[in-house]
Amino acid sequence: MKILEVNNLRMYFSTKKGDVKAVEGVSLEIGKGESVGLVGESGCGKTSIGISILKLLPDNGRILEGEILFKGDDLVPKPEDEMRSVRWNGISMIFQAAMNALNPVYKVGDQIVEAIMLHEEVSKEEAYERVAQLYELVGMSPERAENYPHEYSGGMKQRAIIAMALACDPDMIIADEPTTALDVIVQDSIIKEIKKIQAKLDMTMLYISHDISVIAETCERIAVMYAGNVVEYSDSVTLFASPLHPYTNGLLSSFPSIKGPLKKLNPIPGEPPNLLNPPTGCRFHTRCPFAQRLCKEQVPEFREFQERHYAACHFAGELSLR
Amino acid sequence: MSMQKYIVKRIFQIFLTLIIIMTIMFILFRMMPGDPTAFMLDTRMTPEHKAIIRAQFGLDKPIWYQYLFYLRNFFRGNFGRSFYYARPVYDLVKEKLPATILLWTGAYIISYSLGITLGKIIAWRRGGKLEFGSTLFGLFFYCMPIFWVGLIALWIFSYKFGFFPLGGLKGPDVWSDPSSGMLLKAYDVLKHVTLPLSVLTLAFFAGSMLVMRTSMLETLREDYIMTARAKGLPEKTIRDRHAARNAMLPVVTTFAIAVAGSVGGGVLTETTFSYPGLGKMIVDATLTFDYPLAQASFLFIALLVLVANLVADILYAYLDPRIVY
């Protein structure tokens, strides 16, 4: 069963210089209990997809076309008040803690209780009881719910935010760079926590990160994004073993492997394009070592090559990658 | 509690500040040209007579003696006798202080509530007609000389239409009539205080409104606002509970600074409306070289400012849990 299905989503930001084409024809499906990683360079539109799903766009952002089916129900035409009941109750979000995702003037426990009381008919005592359980679930002492955010360390804030995301027992969680600002040791413990909870609650997750190694550790399936497009989508094992898109290949060769033999890294030459004025055809053609004339002229279709292995490349399967 | 300790420490600081202010005032008044005796003494008096009067007020003593005497008396609550009114200064201040507290704190409470509420709303609905209108309106009164606005208000509302009395705080017909009840007296005071209070509020509110607006716009970009939206909270809760609460902090800070700066506005308003408060008394006392009275009024106004600062600090600690004293 599919929890989320995004079809041909197009989302632009209007700026003084013109439209920033942040998300262009993105399709994605997530089954129940699956964890999907969304990986790509900074500014490629990962977060834009995340906030489009919850329709938390800033004033200058708009969805031009496409569908976002959440349990079969299209969210795109839904008005604000109906979206409010989907938020947190249906789909919740784990934010980056270092970025002040918690309000500094309220006790952390109260901020979680606020979300519970908003979506469920429970008494204050029951809500606080739930907070205590959630704190134990994320490996924190329940008394800490009485503290203010500034009394927490970075890792504790992140745990509290995870607890908050789980508060209303959502059908799906979007985790937007949840470990990016943490040091590697704390990052590791948070990732372990997320994996543990994911397995325990059979959580459906969309995990957004620029770090493919974090994604590989947490997700069963990986979607690779480049300049507003999802260029490849498959299960993690296949993606690492036999990528179909040259960008995925480039991304994999820019990361060192700890276990394998020592190789010289092969970074992708050039820079990601400006989304105000993206390249014609395949947006990757300006940096692609295999680019032909066709790539410049025609937008490649996002096709299914093997079962649930999609790629958007004219020459997918014909190139010798990896 | 550390908060109690902080308050005790601050009260001690206020005390020290007062001594410094008193010293400066003492020097300032003695440096002023003119002689207080010139006002109260008849030119036909003999020099011997003058000397007796001067001796009565201690003006014949050396300056350091006068200074120490002055400090000692202040701390005993003895502010001396007014040269001009020939009454104890303490009684005069006691009479005028409530009127000033009513007008000034009233103006602060109304203008800050108004400024914070409007600032919050215009930041939330950025670029609307309300933003344009209230900014223009607020800045107009912010920039206009307060006595000019006061005179125009008097001319229109008191003289032309007769809605409000021309000045004062208590109507003699109401207050001298023993049959007037509390309610009637309160209504009379309200009628007298409305115009000066409105003028002072109009002059003050734009400052807090603009600070609140800017602070609110900054707060709305914070990530916890995104969290609040993602939680599915209604707009009003996000605006009031999550954004405005945080945006208010800089407004409290500017309040502490603004109080000191707005004393002039209060003095001018009281003078314009012949309002029987400390502000008007300061002006009168200075013009008549009434040293004891002017010194005491200045001191009490300084005390009001210092107390307002203390209130702002305590409020800040209450609003922001990150502040620990």
Side-chain angles (χ1 to χ4, degrees):
Chain A
M1 189 193 133
K2 281 173 191 164
I3 290 282
L4 186 82
E5 201 181 333
V6 176
N7 290 322
N8 197 28
L9 182 71
R10 194 132 69 95
M11 199 276 282
Y12 288 2
F13 291 106
S14 41
T15 65
K16 276 182 192 145
K17 290 180 192 158
D19 281 343
V20 174
K21 299 158 187 77
V23 179
E24 187 79 70
V26 162
S27 300
L28 211 64
E29 30 86 22
I30 303 176
K32 189 168 167 41
E34 270 181 351
S35 53
V36 173
L38 193 56
V39 71
E41 289 158 297
S42 297
C44 72
K46 305 182 298 277
T47 299
S48 299
I49 290 182
I51 59 175
S52 294
I53 293 171
L54 279 173
K55 295 219 294 175
L56 291 171
L57 299 172
D59 291 337
N60 65 340
R62 60 188 198 282
I63 296 173
L64 284 96
E65 63 170 294
E67 289 176 316
I68 300 167
L69 301 173
F70 172 62
K71 294 200 285 186
D73 208 5
D74 192 3
L75 299 181
V76 174
K78 265 199 197 305
E80 238 333 85
D81 54 323
E82 280 177 52
M83 271 316 290
R84 277 207 287 273
S85 55
V86 174
R87 289 178 191 149
W88 226 255
N89 207 16
I91 306 171
S92 70
M93 216 160 166
I94 298 174
F95 294 95
Q96 201 175 307
M99 311 272 288
N100 264 325
L102 294 166
N103 193 328
V105 302
Y106 296 114
K107 286 175 184 162
V108 181
D110 292 347
Q111 298 187 46
I112 302 175
V113 166
E114 186 185 35
I116 299 172
M117 305 267 291
L118 181 72
H119 293 289
E120 287 169 47
E121 301 276 324
V122 292
S123 69
K124 242 191 168 116
E125 289 72 34
E126 286 171 290
Y128 278 103
E129 182 55 37
R130 171 105 52 95
V131 170
Q133 288 165 7
L134 288 166
Y135 264 55
E136 266 167 29
L137 184 71
V138 297
M140 282 214 300
S141 149
E143 300 96 70
R144 295 308 301 255
E146 283 295 305
N147 290 128
Y148 288 97
H150 72 275
E151 293 166 309
Y152 279 24
S153 68
M156 287 168 75
K157 273 189 215 169
Q158 197 60 67
R159 281 170 200 269
I161 287 165
I162 294 169
M164 185 149 83
L166 296 168
C168 296
D169 195 15
D171 297 296
M172 185 184 148
I173 293 180
I174 300 171
D176 190 1
E177 304 267 10
T179 60
T180 301
L182 304 169
D183 64 74
V184 278
I185 295 169
V186 180
Q187 178 174 326
D188 190 56
S189 74
I190 296 289
I191 289 171
K192 281 203 179 103
E193 209 67 68
I194 291 176
K195 280 175 78 176
K196 207 177 77 193
I197 291 162
Q198 207 177 297
K200 197 171 166 187
L201 305 176
D202 192 26
M203 210 63 235
T204 311
M205 259 181 76
L206 179 64
Y207 198 112
I208 299 170
S209 178
H210 67 276
D211 189 343
I212 201 165
S213 55
V214 169
I215 296 274
E217 209 178 323
T218 43
C219 300
E220 299 150 23
R221 298 181 59 75
I222 298 178
V224 179
M225 266 196 99
Y226 180 77
N229 302 129
V230 170
V231 292
E232 187 161 1
Y233 181 38
S234 86
D235 63 282
S236 319
V237 179
T238 318
L239 192 94
F240 274 84
S242 48
L244 287 172
H245 198 282
Y247 177 68
T248 313
N249 192 50
L251 200 63
L252 294 174
S253 357
S254 350
F255 276 89
S257 161
I258 295 178
K259 286 172 189 154
L262 200 65
K263 282 190 295 189
K264 194 172 180 330
L265 292 179
N266 257 327
I268 307 167
E271 277 170 41
N274 185 347
L275 294 183
L276 265 171
N277 217 340
T280 53
C282 171
R283 287 184 175 184
F284 188 55
H285 84 257
T286 49
R287 299 168 76 187
C288 183
F290 308 100
Q292 312 269 326
R293 242 185 73 197
L294 178 67
C295 302
K296 203 173 167 181
E297 286 163 0
Q298 226 181 71
V299 180
E301 203 191 326
F302 191 58
R303 288 174 293 166
E304 188 167 14
F305 283 85
Q306 279 131 38
E307 212 213 326
R308 297 192 79 198
H309 188 171
Y310 305 82
C313 177
H314 293 299
F315 303 103
E318 299 166 24
L319 307 167
S320 52
L321 302 172
R322 279 255 101 173
Chain B
M1 272 293 283
S2 58
M3 188 67 179
Q4 279 161 358
K5 236 165 120 186
Y6 173 74
I7 293 174
V8 170
K9 202 177 97 191
R10 280 298 306 271
I11 289 174
F12 181 68
Q13 276 177 6
I14 287 178
F15 177 76
L16 279 184
T17 317
L18 277 180
I19 293 188
I20 295 169
I21 291 169
M22 281 163 68
T23 310
I24 293 172
M25 268 181 351
F26 181 85
I27 298 167
L28 222 56
F29 277 103
R30 266 72 189 170
M31 273 165 58
M32 262 170 61
D35 184 332
T37 51
F39 258 84
M40 45 200 307
L41 302 184
D42 201 312
T43 41
R44 288 164 301 178
M45 273 181 176
T46 59
E48 289 77 29
H49 249 109
K50 279 189 182 177
I52 292 169
I53 303 259
R54 291 173 63 91
Q56 267 180 3
F57 289 105
L59 290 169
D60 59 335
K61 301 281 193 310
I63 204 92
W64 61 266
Y65 184 83
Q66 284 184 39
Y67 175 69
L68 288 179
F69 202 72
Y70 155 89
L71 281 187
R72 196 194 68 167
N73 277 343
F74 256 110
F75 287 112
R76 286 180 169 183
N78 177 6
F79 302 111
R81 285 175 79 83
S82 158
F83 293 166
Y84 187 78
Y85 295 96
R87 286 176 59 199
V89 168
Y90 179 78
D91 292 352
L92 286 165
V93 170
K94 210 170 71 178
E95 256 174 52
K96 312 279 183 182
L97 193 62
T100 288
I101 290 178
L102 174 72
L103 178 64
W104 294 19
T105 48
Y108 278 120
I109 292 170
I110 298 172
S111 63
Y112 273 80
S113 322
L114 190 74
I116 287 171
T117 313
L118 271 175
K120 175 178 88 181
I121 295 170
I122 62 178
W124 188 257
R125 289 193 255 144
R126 208 186 166 181
K129 278 196 190 106
L130 185 71
E131 181 178 21
F132 181 75
S134 55
T135 309
L136 198 72
F137 183 77
L139 280 180
F140 176 80
F141 288 106
Y142 189 75
C143 300
M144 281 300 130
I146 201 162
F147 54 85
W148 183 81
V149 176
L151 286 173
I152 297 291
L154 269 178
W155 181 62
I156 295 174
F157 296 106
S158 301
Y159 180 70
K160 279 271 179 199
F161 295 110
F163 294 154
F164 302 106
L166 276 163
L169 180 62
K170 296 170 178 178
D173 41 336
V174 174
W175 286 77
S176 58
D177 185 356
S179 64
S180 312
M182 273 305 285
L183 221 63
L184 191 67
K185 284 179 175 171
Y187 174 69
D188 183 59
V189 167
L190 188 72
K191 228 168 59 179
H192 279 85
V193 89
T194 304
L195 267 195
L197 190 63
S198 310
V199 168
L200 209 50
T201 303
L202 283 176
F204 286 169
F205 93 96
S208 56
M209 180 181 80
L210 293 177
V211 174
M212 182 67 183
R213 174 182 163 275
T214 311
S215 167
M216 186 80 175
L217 286 174
E218 245 165 67
T219 309
L220 289 176
R221 281 201 296 268
E222 293 283 351
D223 296 277
Y224 51 78
I225 299 301
M226 185 61 137
T227 312
R229 290 180 65 203
K231 277 193 212 169
L233 292 170
E235 302 262 288
K236 224 174 156 244
T237 314
I238 301 171
R239 187 191 72 188
D240 296 348
R241 234 181 94 81
H242 288 272
R245 174 66 197 276
N246 282 283
M248 255 164 73
L249 296 171
V251 182
V252 175
T253 310
T254 51
F255 166 75
I257 304 164
V259 165
S262 56
V263 166
V267 170
L268 283 172
T269 307
E270 287 192 5
T271 312
T272 309
F273 289 92
S274 321
Y275 188 86
L278 280 182
K280 184 171 181 305
M281 197 162 72
I282 275 196
V283 177
D284 295 344
T286 313
L287 290 177
T288 53
F289 298 99
D290 198 342
Y291 292 165
L293 186 59
Q295 277 169 171
S297 339
F298 270 116
L299 196 72
F300 273 91
I301 286 179
L303 191 65
L304 282 183
V305 172
L306 291 171
V307 169
N309 269 277
L310 179 64
V311 168
D313 280 344
I314 294 171
L315 199 65
Y316 205 95
Y318 169 76
L319 285 175
D320 190 349
R322 285 166 296 185
I323 302 295
V324 181
Y325 293 124

